[in-house]
């Protein structure tokens, strides 16, 4: 029996959703409804298309140009069970994983004990771009995020220290 995930779309070769050539999976479904969201089509949980996760995974692993995977949205944490399944396989295959969410790292951490899928997803993410998009904090030239309030979090270091450690590889404006 195949496993499926509801996606709003896929960017097959992206250079703007994290470092290097990446495959980007856009989750279908978001409860944040941020004013000015650049992707409002992803909010409806019933929109998009059901896709076979194993086929999506094999397609990524079969492309030697892909250096990493990004989960965007919608909000991937709304489909954490499915994204954690994919993330674990990608991580085992040495791919770098970035994830965008409207939730803050602190909010996610405070809900891990009651949400195993969030815990599993977070444990397989390298970088989390967290926080809701805030239209009044949008600024041209921000790298890998839409508004100044969003942080680029080094997830594994943050988990080790139990506090937010910003990803240092990039200068953050």
């Amino acid at each position: 029996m195949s496993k499926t995930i509801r996606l709003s779309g896929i960017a097959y070769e992206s250079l703007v959703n994290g470092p290097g050539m990446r495959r980007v999976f856009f989750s279908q479904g978001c409860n944040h409804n941020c004013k000015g969201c650049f992707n409002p089509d992803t909010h409806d949980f019933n929109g998009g298309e059901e896709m076979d996760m194993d086929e999506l995974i094999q397609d990524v692993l079969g492309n030697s140009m892909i250096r990493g995977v990004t989960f965007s949205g919608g909000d991937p944490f709304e489909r954490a069970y499915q994204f954690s399944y994919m993330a674990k396989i990608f991580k085992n295959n040495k791919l770098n994983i970035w994830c965008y969410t409207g939730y803050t790292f602190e909010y996610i951490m405070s809900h891990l004990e009651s949400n195993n899928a969030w815990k599993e997803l977070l444990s397989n993410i390298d970088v989390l771009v967290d926080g809701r998009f805030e239209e009044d904090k949008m600024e041209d030239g921000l790298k890998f995020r839409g508004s100044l309030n969003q942080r680029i979090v080094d997830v594994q270091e943050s988990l080790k220290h139990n506090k937010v450690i910003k990803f240092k590889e990039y200068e953050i404006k």
Side-chain angles (χ1 to χ4, degrees), residues 8 23 30 38 41 46 55 59 62 91 98 108 113-114 118-119 122 124 130 134 146-147 157 160 171:
S8 68
R23 179 71 45 90
C30 183
F38 76 97
D41 296 356
N46 297 311
E55 288 177 14
D59 191 52
K91 200 79 199 131
W98 281 44
I108 293 167
E113 292 310 313
S114 62
W118 279 20
K119 186 183 246 180
L122 196 64
N124 286 290
D130 79 337
E134 294 183 20
S147 56
E157 285 300 309
K160 281 182 203 166
E171 242 352 272

Side-chain angles (χ1 to χ4, degrees), residues 16-19 22 32 34 38 69-77 96-106 108 121-122 125-134 142-156 158 164-167 170 172:
V16 297
N17 293 284
R22 311 182 73 75
H32 303 295
C34 302
F38 76 97
V69 174
T70 299
F71 302 142
S72 192
D75 194 318
F77 275 82
N96 172 268
I97 301 173
W98 281 44
C99 183
Y100 286 77
T101 182
Y103 297 108
T104 63
F105 182 81
E106 293 85 356
I108 293 167
L121 178 55
L122 196 64
I125 294 171
D126 296 300
V127 174
L128 183 74
V129 181
D130 79 337
R132 295 170 51 107
F133 170 73
E134 294 183 20
L142 290 179
K143 198 165 194 174
F144 302 128
R145 58 197 177 128
S147 56
L148 284 167
N149 62 295
Q150 295 172 313
R151 301 173 296 184
I152 302 174
V153 178
D154 183 325
V155 174
Q156 298 312 310
S158 297
V164 171
I165 306 290
K166 290 187 179 174
F167 189 60
Y170 297 94
I172 300 173

Side-chain angles (χ1 to χ4, degrees), residues 19-43:
M21 184 67 69
R22 311 182 73 75
R23 179 71 45 90
V24 184
F25 296 102
F26 293 93
S27 180
Q28 185 67 46
C30 183
N31 285 317
H32 303 295
N33 296 310
C34 302
K35 183 180 179 208
C37 175
F38 76 97
N39 214 354
D41 296 356
T42 66
H43 295 183

Side-chain angles (χ1 to χ4, degrees), residues 5 11 15 18 20 30 35 41 45 55 58 79 83-84 87 92 98 107 112 124 128 136 167:
I5 185 168
L15 294 168
C30 183
K35 183 180 179 208
D41 296 356
F45 282 84
E55 288 177 14
Q58 288 311 309
R79 297 195 185 276
F83 279 107
S84 67
N92 287 339
W98 281 44
Y107 181 87
L112 288 185
N124 286 290
L128 183 74
D136 63 335
F167 189 60

